[in-house]
Amino acid sequence: MGSVGSDKQITGWAARDSSGILSPYKYSLRTTGAEDVVMKVLYCGICHTDIHQTKNHLGMSNYPMVPGHEVVGEVIEVGSDVTKFKVGDVVGSGVIVGCCRSCGPCKSDIEQYCNKRVWSYNDVYTDGKPTQGGFASAMVVDQKFVVKIPEKLAPEQAAPLLCAGLTVYSPLKHLGLMESGLKAGILGLGGVGHMGVKIAKAMGHHVTVISSSDKKRGEAMDDLGADAYLVSSDTEGMAATVDSLDYIIDTIPVFHPLEPYLSLLKVGGKHVIMGVINEPLKFLTPVIMLGRKSITGSFIGSMTEMPEMLEFCAEKGLTSTIEMVKMDYVNKAFERLERNDVRYRFVVDVAGSNLEQ
Ligand SMILES: NC(=O)C1=CN([C@@H]2O[C@H](COP(=O)(O)OP(=O)(O)OC[C@H]3O[C@@H](n4cnc5c(N)ncnc54)[C@H](OP(=O)(O)O)[C@@H]3O)[C@@H](O)[C@H]2O)C=CC1
Ligand SMILES: O=C/C=C/c1ccc(O)c(O)c1
Ligand SMILES: [Zn+2]
Ligand SMILES: [Zn+2]
């Protein structure tokens, strides 16, 4: 297996243009560097960001693009200076695979905010080659950006934690929102949102799901354990919830008005924006001033928080709720995710899809 990381040709599934349609694509892995971990990809979750990127919603996409940043794999080779991992370990990697290591954010262990961050795909690595993601038979990742998957977690269910789980855990920790008894709003019950419900419940919060439809009510309450379910177009329900929430995790991936949701926050409440939205959001200033409310954003989490979040999930018995598919279903899965037809994360069984055949 030692040759896999030595400019070996592998197969991934790549988008070639903004249609976003993925098809098999052969490319070479970089030669294994001293700090590199080579993993055979086992599973990779499909995040809504993969749609934004493959369909060029942000106008910055380069093709061919192999997406996928919720990657769980088995270590098949390690570089000479790798100390944290050995062959056979089950490991994960996420959205970021590189940073400068010398700026303020890097020195403060919040390297996700490094302006020289290297994205796991649709970016250029330090060797000048394009980065490619987890919908591929293998990946090479610097050990700093690799995490061990706790044995208590099933690898396929751990995959969505590497982006969706971390994206919720990090702002709750950073904003001091981990104490029990808080009142949470989870806006948009998709991949990130469903982990929001599970993580907030595990922290002892009272969780209200705020959804665009009534379709997920039963599952949200019965399966995910939400305490309340509010449809955003239900004016009476929204009015009854005004001034009651400590925070809202906003995962809506498209333009939406903020004022109806900001009014649900208590004095001092926090609206945390997660969605990647390519047009300006607007709101009238009194809605935040007359309540000292904050609107903030948050981007994944750090590599220090990653193992902490996985351990939190393992200890609390939290897993993601997934629909597992093979790679030949990936285009259908993207299409279903885009039309809000998944409960709650697709995970591709990459190793079981025999990409190298
Ligand atoms: N900041 C960060 O670090 C991260 C950002 N993201 C971004 O967060 C967003 C959500 O990602 P993810 O959870 O994977 O996406 P999903 O598609 O899985 O979930 C989004 C949810 O938002 C709601 N929604 C979808 N379309 C609309 C619409 N037109 N109007 C109102 N509500 C809508 C739906 O919930 P319901 O049916 O309940 O209304 C849907 O399930 C994306 O923009 C993604 O790029 C993702 C990960 C990390
Ligand atoms: O899924 C994780 C990535 C989120 C993300 C946040 C901000 C941004 O500009 C992106 O391109 C992606
Ligand atoms: Zn993601
Ligand atoms: Zn940096």
Side-chain angles (χ1 to χ4, degrees):
M1 282 301 191
S3 63
V4 169
S6 309
D7 278 333
K8 166 109 165 123
Q9 284 257 311
I10 64 152
T11 306
W13 277 50
R16 315 302 174 121
D17 54 43
S18 62
S19 70
I21 293 171
L22 307 188
S23 57
Y25 168 61
K26 286 198 187 303
Y27 56 102
S28 60
L29 288 182
R30 69 170 178 267
T31 303
T32 310
E35 299 273 348
D36 282 339
V37 173
V38 187
M39 62 170 107
K40 171 188 170 185
V41 177
L42 300 175
Y43 302 101
C44 185
I46 308 179
C47 175
H48 204 112
T49 302
D50 296 326
I51 296 177
H52 294 316
Q53 295 283 19
T54 54
K55 294 204 161 182
N56 198 17
H57 289 173
L58 299 173
M60 295 187 298
S61 296
N62 296 298
Y63 303 97
M65 179 199 298
V66 177
H69 59 232
E70 293 183 335
V71 193
V72 171
E74 181 187 336
V75 177
I76 53 175
E77 187 186 342
V78 292
S80 53
D81 292 347
V82 171
T83 49
K84 297 190 325 199
F85 307 100
K86 60 180 189 317
V87 170
D89 284 351
V90 177
V91 296
S93 73
V95 174
I96 296 299
V97 295
C99 64
C100 83
R101 297 170 197 244
S102 57
C103 70
C106 284
K107 284 188 170 159
S108 308
D109 287 334
I110 47 169
E111 69 288 334
Q112 73 272 32
Y113 297 113
C114 172
N115 281 331
K116 292 185 178 157
R117 72 181 76 82
V118 182
W119 301 77
S120 52
Y121 65 87
N122 195 34
D123 206 347
V124 177
Y125 203 64
T126 48
D127 61 0
K129 284 177 67 174
T131 56
Q132 302 291 6
F135 297 121
S137 55
M139 265 183 99
V140 187
V141 183
D142 183 299
Q143 64 171 335
K144 177 175 172 62
F145 296 93
V146 176
V147 66
K148 199 140 189 261
I149 303 296
E151 278 177 16
K152 275 197 215 163
L153 293 176
E156 65 276 20
Q157 286 175 344
L161 303 180
L162 301 170
C163 175
L166 186 61
T167 294
V168 173
Y169 183 87
S170 176
L172 294 184
K173 180 167 186 203
H174 175 70
L175 296 170
L177 296 170
M178 286 176 82
E179 74 190 69
S180 68
L182 293 178
K183 293 206 148 193
I186 302 294
L187 178 51
L189 191 57
V192 176
H194 96 289
M195 286 314 306
V197 175
K198 292 187 187 204
I199 289 174
K201 281 302 296 177
M203 289 177 180
H205 301 175
H206 177 282
V207 177
T208 299
V209 168
I210 311 159
S211 181
S212 59
S213 81
D214 212 30
K215 290 182 202 154
K216 301 174 184 171
R217 181 187 292 276
E219 305 147 30
M221 306 287 288
D222 301 340
D223 304 337
L224 301 178
D227 300 287
Y229 189 96
L230 192 51
V231 178
S232 50
S233 57
D234 167 12
T235 41
E236 276 179 26
M238 291 288 279
T241 313
V242 160
D243 292 339
S244 70
L245 303 178
D246 290 290
Y247 69 89
I248 292 174
I249 298 287
D250 178 350
T251 78
I252 296 180
V254 294
F255 174 87
H256 55 287
L258 290 183
E259 280 159 33
Y261 308 111
L262 293 169
S263 69
L264 304 183
L265 293 170
K266 284 179 188 168
V267 172
K270 298 178 170 71
H271 187 103
V272 190
I273 294 186
M274 302 299 185
V276 179
I277 299 168
N278 64 359
E279 55 189 305
L281 302 186
K282 59 180 184 175
F283 60 91
L284 295 179
T285 58
V287 74
I288 56 169
M289 280 191 286
L290 303 177
R292 204 161 60 194
K293 299 175 184 180
S294 313
I295 302 173
T296 187
S298 186
F299 174 54
I300 50 168
S302 68
M303 289 310 298
T304 313
E305 288 167 325
M306 183 85 99
E308 190 182 305
M309 174 276 306
L310 290 173
E311 220 28 72
F312 176 86
C313 292
E315 271 197 8
K316 301 279 184 185
L318 292 191
T319 57
S320 57
T321 301
I322 64 171
E323 179 174 337
M324 190 134 69
V325 299
K326 299 282 197 223
M327 192 62 90
D328 60 7
Y329 190 80
V330 74
N331 289 307
K332 180 81 182 163
F334 268 62
E335 179 203 316
R336 282 183 50 199
L337 172 61
E338 197 165 18
R339 58 180 158 82
N340 197 1
D341 176 26
V342 55
R343 305 292 191 274
Y344 285 93
R345 202 53 135 191
F346 282 113
V347 172
V348 178
D349 174 9
V350 178
S353 300
N354 300 317
L355 299 194
E356 299 301 347
Q357 273 187 347

